[in-house]
Every structure is written in structure tokens, then in C-alpha cells.
Amino acid sequence: MNDLAPLLTPEGRALLDEVRDTDPAHELAVATRLRRDHPAELVSAALGQARLRQRAVAKFGAEDAARMFFTPNGVEQSTRRSVAAYRAERLRAAGVRSVADLCCGIGGDAIALARAGIRVLAVDRDPQTAAAARANAEALGLANLIEVREADVTEVDTSGYDAVFVDPARRSSKRGRIFDPEAYSPPLSWAVSTALGASRAAALKIAPGIPHEAVPAEAEAEWISDGGDVKEAVLWFGTAPGTIRATLLPGPHTLVSRGLPDPEVRPVGRYLYEPDGAVVRSHLVAEVAETLDGGLIDPTIAYVTTDTLTPTPYATAYEITDRLPFNLKKLKALLREREVGVLTVKKRGSAVEPEELRRKALPKPHGTASVTVFLTRVAGAPTMLLGHPVR
């Protein structure tokens, strides 16, 4: 689909409604039937948009996704609604009333900002993407708060806005995912310079794998996870320079660095805690260990162990039943003896792939019991820890 315009016509919108719930397995039959009364290109565009809307439900929810317009890259790269809403609320709470949203994509962040009552200038240089953002603002009744502009973000004057939000492209059609922040489009250095010029605040969305040494001294760095999955890191300007935090959604639950030293290493206790990915990425495992009165099982592994159970939103607790040196034969025998039918494999500090171990250790279920196996190191030695999550 190279042009949204035909889908925005009365015929296009009616066709979108008709193909809305089309099962991908039945697309050919549906397309053949619809092409008797509609242009073939319009039918293909409508079916393609229906597929994108179905994929977008996971990020935007069924109600919004059914009304919005997407591009393939837009579905893939847009911010999940819950994360965008959290970020928009932080800006609103900081007194921001207008934002220049640079590299706006299909408008996911602009929508969240507008719903927080913030006026938005949404800018993207790609014509199709900008058209989708404009259509989405109109479809969701937010066109009075969102102005969409097709332009090069490096040439846009943002001086009339309280804040700047930049979401630079971190993927390339030729190279795939980009890890060097200076290879972002636009580069991180340009985004930082623009953020520092904002009158009240700024937020830069970056990859969660960014090295801590690449975080500017003027920025606060926040790693965000949603439902246990790390979604992004954000560099905030005009907030608390030098602060490191991990935020978990839903909640939000926010953990702030206190500059604690690495936790001590201790023998594996009754409980093993698996810190949330945002906690690990933000290097805040020590803060979690202190709240649990726990230690590490190995100086290089982000698993915390204790003999007492302490509820925390920042880590998942498992009760450990067995500790074994890594040995596939012994593991298979143990799983057979305990009639295990469901095997979950997690790893940190192991070269073994979880799916490979699962296939070899449990080629066929032996019963209905469930077990979690941690492939890791304990005091430097390859180890298997068996247990189950604490409910």
C-alpha cells in the first residue's frame, strides 16, 4: 500500500469495515469476491490494512486499532500505548502544555500526548507515514490538538513549544537494527543538542541496550518495561540530571538508583529472584537485593537469592527445589521421575539455548507437573537450578 488516500474515501472506508475481521486464511476468497465490485488495488490495500490493524491490537488495543491507519514499519516500530501514556503523563505533570514530536511515525506518541491534554506538532519526513499520522489524529478525534507536518525534523523550529520528544529511527532497510547511537536517524548527538535547547523539558526515546557511558551527564536515564518486557530507554532533560531509574508497567512502579555497591555473593538459598529486565538494564540489581536482604549467586549473574520470601514488584520469586551441576542425563531422569509435563527453561550466563535443552530434556511429556529450570552459573560453575514460581 503506497497511498492511504483511496482508503480514506467513502468507498475505501466501507471496504475497510467489510474486511475488518477477515481471517488471513480466507483472504484469497474474500479478495476474489470483492474484486467483482471494487478496484483490485483498493481491495488489496483494504486487506493489507486489515492485517496491519489486527497486528496493531497488541500495541494499541482493539478499539483504537480498528480505527487507525498503519504502515508495516509503523506497526513494528511504534510505541505501545501504555508506555506512551506513561511518558505523556510525566510530561504533563512537569507542566508541559505543548510538544514538538520529532520523528512521529504513525502518531502513537502524539496520540498519547494529545490525550493528556498537550498540544502537539508531529513531524515526519516520510509522506506515507505522515499521512497515516494525520489520518490517525482525525480518526481518534484529536485533530484539534495534533498538527502533522511532513518535513525533515532537523529543519523544524521547535522554539514555540514547551518540550521536545524525539524518537530517532534505529533500524535501517539495509542493516536492520542499529546499535551505534550516532548512526540513528537523526544521530543521538543532534537529538541531545535539540533537547538541551527545549524551554521546559525533553525526552529522547532510545534503544534499551544503550551503554550507560553513552548517557549524557545532563540527562536522567529511565528504562521502561511493560508486562515484564523491556520496551525502551528514555533520556529525560529538565528533570533530574544523573538520575538512573527503572519503571515497570503496569503500575507504574519506579526504582531509583542510590549508587549501591554490588551485592555480596552467597550460597543459593530457598528462593531465587529474577529481576525485571528494566532493573537489569538500568544496573539496579543491587537496589533490589538490598530490599530483599539478598545476595547474588555469582558475581556476574543478575539472580538474587535469599532464604526468606519478600514480595517485590521488581523481581519474580521462585522456590528452588534442586541444585545440580549441568548434566543433561541427570536432568532427564529427574524430570521423568517427577512426571514433568511442562518445562520452562530460563538462562543467564549459559551458552545453552533454552529451546534446545527443552527439546532434549523433555522430548515427550511424562505427566502434568511443571518445573522451571535455570541454566546459570553458581560461583563460576555451570549449574542447573530447578524450582517453581511463587504465586
Side-chain angles (χ1 to χ4, degrees):
M1 182 184 62
N2 296 318
D3 186 6
L4 281 176
L7 293 176
L8 300 177
T9 63
E11 182 182 11
R13 291 180 184 275
L15 199 54
L16 281 173
D17 289 338
E18 188 168 352
V19 303
R20 174 176 175 173
D21 299 317
T22 300
D23 186 329
H26 301 150
E27 268 193 13
L28 181 58
V30 171
T32 300
R33 174 176 58 81
L34 292 175
R35 283 170 182 162
R36 298 172 189 154
D37 302 310
H38 303 280
E41 289 186 0
L42 182 59
V43 171
S44 296
L47 286 169
Q49 190 61 222
R51 285 195 302 272
L52 294 176
R53 285 177 167 181
Q54 290 167 5
R55 285 171 53 195
V57 168
K59 284 190 174 182
F60 291 91
E63 185 177 350
D64 280 356
R67 294 187 288 165
M68 292 174 66
F69 294 86
F70 299 96
T71 65
N73 285 340
V75 172
E76 185 71 25
Q77 298 175 21
S78 57
T79 305
R80 185 176 293 199
R81 182 174 64 180
S82 54
V83 179
Y86 163 75
R87 204 186 313 104
E89 176 57 25
R90 277 205 67 179
L91 287 169
R92 187 203 64 78
V96 169
R97 295 296 175 262
S98 61
V99 172
D101 178 2
L102 308 180
C103 308
C104 69
I106 54 98
D109 287 286
I111 290 165
L113 291 164
R115 283 176 168 168
I118 298 172
R119 179 172 58 88
V120 185
L121 169 65
V123 184
D124 203 285
R125 68 181 179 183
D126 179 70
Q128 184 183 359
T129 303
R134 189 174 295 109
N136 289 334
E138 294 173 355
L140 299 179
L142 298 168
N144 62 320
L145 283 171
I146 301 174
E147 174 195 347
V148 179
R149 188 180 302 174
E150 180 190 326
D152 184 332
V153 296
T154 64
E155 299 175 358
V156 174
D157 180 9
T158 62
S159 60
Y161 296 83
D162 293 341
V164 172
F165 173 67
V166 188
D167 182 5
R170 296 178 298 283
R171 289 180 182 272
S172 164
S173 58
K174 295 182 178 180
R175 294 182 294 167
R177 185 172 295 175
I178 297 171
F179 297 96
D180 177 9
E182 282 308 295
Y184 291 173
S185 179
L188 181 60
S189 57
W190 177 88
V192 169
S193 176
T194 301
L196 291 172
S199 64
R200 183 178 290 272
L204 310 183
K205 178 181 172 180
I206 55 175
I210 187 171
H212 280 231
E213 56 268 23
V215 175
E218 303 92 338
E220 167 196 331
E222 179 178 32
W223 279 261
I224 302 174
S225 69
D226 187 21
D229 296 328
V230 182
K231 293 303 177 184
E232 64 182 55
V234 184
L235 299 182
W236 294 92
F237 296 81
T239 54
T243 298
I244 302 293
R245 71 174 69 217
T247 295
L248 283 55
L249 302 175
H253 303 283
T254 297
L255 185 67
V256 178
S257 172
R258 287 178 283 133
L260 298 179
D262 292 340
E264 65 176 8
V265 176
R266 64 175 65 175
V268 177
R270 181 177 177 181
Y271 298 100
L272 186 76
Y273 289 83
E274 180 184 30
D276 184 273
V279 171
V280 177
R281 295 276 193 173
S282 56
H283 299 178
L284 298 182
V285 174
E287 278 72 8
V288 171
E290 184 183 68
T291 64
L292 300 173
D293 192 23
L296 300 180
I297 63 171
D298 184 278
T300 63
I301 304 297
Y303 284 137
V304 177
T305 187
T306 74
D307 285 316
T308 56
L309 182 63
T310 305
T312 175
Y314 302 111
T316 302
Y318 294 82
E319 185 169 12
I320 299 302
T321 57
D322 300 88
R323 171 181 169 179
L324 305 169
F326 182 81
N327 186 302
L328 180 59
K329 186 175 181 180
K330 288 184 179 180
L331 178 61
K332 289 180 67 174
L334 189 60
L335 296 178
R336 189 180 304 111
E337 175 188 331
R338 296 184 182 174
E339 299 183 339
V340 171
V342 180
L343 178 63
T344 301
V345 182
K346 294 175 172 287
K347 75 164 191 172
R348 278 182 182 166
S350 173
V352 179
E353 289 301 322
E355 188 55 45
E356 178 186 1
L357 182 80
R358 188 182 298 108
R359 186 176 64 253
K360 292 181 178 179
L362 195 68
K364 62 175 76 172
H366 301 292
T368 59
S370 61
V371 168
T372 299
V373 176
F374 294 89
L375 302 177
T376 187
R377 293 194 304 273
V378 174
T383 303
M384 298 184 298
L385 301 175
L386 279 65
H388 54 82
V390 178
R391 303 299 181 187

